[in-house]
Amino acid sequence: MLPKLSALTIDWPLRQAKLFSRIQPLIVEIGFGNGDYLLHQAATRPHCNIIGLEISSQSMAKAEAKIDERGLSNARPIHCRAETALSHLLEPRSVREFHINYPDPWFKKRHGRRRLIQRGTVELLTSRLAADGLLLLATDIRDYAEMAHEILSSARGLQNEYAAPWLHEVAGRFPTKYEEKGYREGRRGHFFRYRRDDSPVPHPPVIKELEMPHLILRTPLNTAEIVDRFAPMKLSVDGAHIAVLHAWLDSKRGIALFEVVVEEPSISQHSMIMLAPRAGEGECIVKLTTIGHARSTLGMHRTVAAVGDWVAGLDSAGAVIERRVRA
């Protein structure tokens, strides 16, 4: 069985040599659904390595089973948001082709920020494309197609390969399950094909994991008293939205656990922070746990700091005595 891959457990940046038997041109499909398009690419293009990005656990399980069953060594699904892959996994100029098939249109205005095709995301996609690489997009939503045309046609570093903004038919294209459903329901596809040209564009480096954060503090309160005083807290810092939701006492180990959700522009994490007594009267350490496979991002550093500062501030005698966190 294939080992399950997630952006929370694989290397930042991604290393082909750890995922595939050999290094080859890399194709990335964003949102692979039932996985048939992903498998078709792998089967018909054995001289490329194919990575599929997906946030649905059910879709991941289906794709993993199909790849295993067919013995495809050049296809690997990764449980990952596109924004996370573009920021943390894929290095500049590393991708031969991006395939984006029927992305969620997010019809409601308040959900527009969740759309994949936005100027900032397209700039990242362009920066990750190798020279002469391709960006292929398909949608059956006319409004989405018009929005995508406006963004892609004005994007630096990309050239439309079609004489029209899009085509409604592409010879030899392998249809996705959703694509076939759209045709049955009377919705035509809108197919885009853009090639990376030689225009210079910014190449933001991969955001790598930081050292593990921790705070050491002094407080006269024990962990039971700290948990008893807990109230949920929320804060926003430089685009990171932090929520500390719950606190529990592990009386057997004498520690406190705090459930946290950290939303950063490039990654969302749901994890736990631990407060544990240290040798030395009244000293505690606040740090990440292994629960949730938390990656040590700037947002996580700020979350550890927020929990530690809150604990230290519960009593006038409390104080942070060592701070290993990024501001």
Side-chain angles (χ1 to χ4, degrees):
M1 291 288 292
L2 288 174
K4 298 185 183 299
L5 299 178
S6 163
L8 298 179
T9 57
I10 63 177
D11 289 345
W12 288 3
L14 177 149
R15 302 297 181 197
Q16 276 205 58
K18 289 194 174 182
L19 302 184
F20 302 103
S21 58
R22 60 182 181 224
I23 296 174
Q24 304 187 116
L26 184 64
I27 296 173
V28 176
E29 183 184 3
I30 298 176
F32 55 73
N34 70 357
D36 287 346
Y37 184 94
L38 179 77
L39 269 68
H40 174 78
Q41 293 294 321
T44 58
R45 306 178 73 178
H47 300 298
C48 293
N49 288 331
I50 321 293
I51 284 175
L53 307 176
E54 182 56 68
I55 59 173
S56 164
S57 297
Q58 186 177 31
S59 294
M60 284 287 298
K62 287 180 180 178
E64 288 161 350
K66 291 176 181 178
I67 291 169
D68 244 358
E69 180 184 334
R70 301 180 194 186
L72 294 170
S73 62
N74 65 328
R76 298 305 306 271
I78 301 176
H79 194 262
C80 184
R81 287 170 49 199
E83 296 83 358
T84 303
L86 293 171
S87 297
H88 299 281
L89 300 184
L90 301 173
E91 295 187 282
R93 307 179 185 91
S94 64
V95 178
R96 177 61 189 164
E97 296 175 13
F98 281 111
H99 294 242
I100 306 170
N101 290 312
Y102 296 82
D104 194 324
W106 293 105
F107 289 110
K108 294 181 180 179
K109 187 175 182 179
R110 69 177 182 273
H111 292 157
R113 64 182 178 82
R114 299 185 183 182
R115 286 182 170 182
L116 177 60
I117 300 300
Q118 302 190 57
R119 294 194 185 279
T121 309
V122 168
E123 288 173 1
L124 265 179
L125 286 163
T126 305
S127 80
R128 272 44 183 160
L129 277 176
D132 211 35
L134 290 173
L135 171 59
L136 298 103
L137 167 69
T139 179
D140 59 354
I141 306 300
R142 178 62 180 243
D143 287 348
Y144 199 98
E146 291 175 348
M147 177 274 299
H149 167 60
E150 180 182 351
I151 292 174
L152 292 172
S153 63
S154 61
R156 185 173 180 84
L158 293 176
Q159 287 293 325
N160 186 1
E161 292 227 298
Y162 297 145
W166 58 73
L167 298 184
H168 287 299
E169 293 183 5
V170 176
R173 175 180 164 82
F174 181 86
T176 70
K177 179 180 177 181
Y178 188 89
E179 184 175 338
E180 291 178 324
K181 179 175 184 285
Y183 282 127
R184 290 195 302 269
E185 296 175 357
R187 296 190 306 274
R188 293 193 298 176
H190 304 72
F191 303 106
F192 296 78
R193 183 183 175 96
Y194 277 77
R195 189 174 294 277
R196 177 74 171 93
D197 63 24
D198 57 4
S199 301
V201 298
H203 291 286
V206 164
I207 301 172
K208 296 183 180 180
E209 194 166 10
L210 303 174
E211 69 280 3
M212 294 299 285
H214 73 261
L215 261 72
I216 297 174
L217 57 91
R218 185 176 292 116
T219 179
L221 304 177
N222 60 41
T223 50
E225 292 170 320
I226 291 168
V227 170
D228 188 57
R229 295 196 192 186
F230 175 78
M233 65 180 88
K234 292 184 178 181
L235 64 151
S236 296
V237 185
D238 294 338
H241 302 286
I242 298 166
V244 187
L245 302 176
H246 302 285
W248 292 275
L249 176 66
D250 182 338
S251 55
K252 183 178 290 188
R253 293 190 292 167
I255 67 173
L257 292 170
F258 299 87
E259 180 185 8
V260 301
V261 173
V262 182
E263 299 273 353
E264 299 175 74
S266 61
I267 188 170
S268 300
Q269 300 195 76
H270 187 182
S271 189
M272 292 280 190
I273 287 174
M274 177 175 69
L275 180 146
R278 294 180 79 235
E281 189 174 344
E283 288 189 6
C284 297
I285 185 169
V286 181
K287 61 182 182 179
L288 295 177
T289 71
T290 57
I291 300 171
H293 300 289
R295 303 304 292 250
S296 184
T297 63
L298 185 57
M300 277 296 182
H301 272 245
R302 288 168 171 165
T303 306
V304 168
V307 172
D309 288 338
W310 170 77
V311 173
L314 289 174
D315 189 277
S316 60
V320 174
I321 57 178
E322 182 178 313
R323 185 181 296 268
R324 295 285 181 89
V325 293
R326 298 284 186 96

